[in-house]
Amino acid sequence: AQFQMLLAMSSLETTEKEAAAQLARAKPYQRNLLPIVNDHKFEIGISIVVGLNMVVLLSEHFPQTEAVEAAIDTANFVFLILFTIEMLMQLAARGPSAYFKSTWYLMDFFVISLSWVLTFSEVQAGQNAARALRMLRVLLILKFAKMARSMVMTVILSLGPAVNVIAVLILILYVYAVAGMQFYGNLEE
């Protein structure tokens, strides 16, 4: 029951009735954007862009030439612009109150905003932090993939019971270690 509730809270899918109600109460400029951002092709396109961004981020290596580093930095900047455009479209289409109610969109906003701040910081650690933060974008694919989101929620919910099982296993190992030392600790060679 808890899993079903968490999955429902994290769900982004809207039924046709909800989409129609959302469109009916939308402002005129939102009526043009909502069909675009709710379109499955738009979601697939953003997922492809996230995947391409991951490929670029994973293509960094050491040592790399300055030309490769400049190409990767340019590609990352282009991806950041694309993600910003997508975020602004979602924000404009849904409105600030609906946009910031969703934890997925909050994470999206956090990752993109912090990426902009770290991109313009002159500190090398800031650049490295921006690269690490951009890896969180792979989680944004989960907002479109219901099955993957379900699997992640299952793993999260299983962490609590797993800790209990690990604690029992450690206790058993400790008991056998003490028993082993008692039985075999004083053996002479």
Side-chain angles (χ1 to χ4, degrees), residues 59-114:
S59 68
E60 291 186 32
H61 58 281
F62 183 80
Q64 62 187 13
T65 63
E66 287 185 23
V68 171
E69 189 169 336
I72 288 174
D73 287 342
T74 302
N76 279 329
F77 191 71
V78 168
F79 284 125
L80 184 57
I81 290 171
L82 290 173
F83 290 128
T84 303
I85 290 169
E86 185 257 345
M87 179 190 73
L88 293 174
M89 286 177 68
Q90 295 280 0
L91 184 61
R94 300 185 190 298
S97 61
Y99 183 85
F100 290 113
K101 280 182 186 176
S102 169
T103 52
W104 291 104
Y105 292 131
L106 270 175
M107 185 189 71
D108 193 19
F109 181 80
F110 171 75
V111 168
I112 292 170
S113 300
L114 208 52

Side-chain angles (χ1 to χ4, degrees), residues 81-153:
I81 290 171
L82 290 173
F83 290 128
T84 303
I85 290 169
E86 185 257 345
M87 179 190 73
L88 293 174
M89 286 177 68
Q90 295 280 0
L91 184 61
R94 300 185 190 298
S97 61
Y99 183 85
F100 290 113
K101 280 182 186 176
S102 169
T103 52
W104 291 104
Y105 292 131
L106 270 175
M107 185 189 71
D108 193 19
F109 181 80
F110 171 75
V111 168
I112 292 170
S113 300
L114 208 52
S115 291
W116 277 110
V117 169
L118 294 173
T119 297
F120 290 114
S121 70
E122 296 297 324
V123 182
Q124 182 61 33
Q127 298 297 321
N128 293 336
R131 289 185 181 111
L133 184 68
R134 287 181 189 134
M135 292 302 283
L136 287 176
R137 287 188 188 141
V138 78
L139 295 176
L140 300 179
I141 291 177
L142 294 177
K143 75 179 177 182
F144 304 120
K146 186 176 183 180
M147 186 63 153
R149 195 168 55 244
S150 171
M151 291 168 57
V152 168
M153 295 303 287

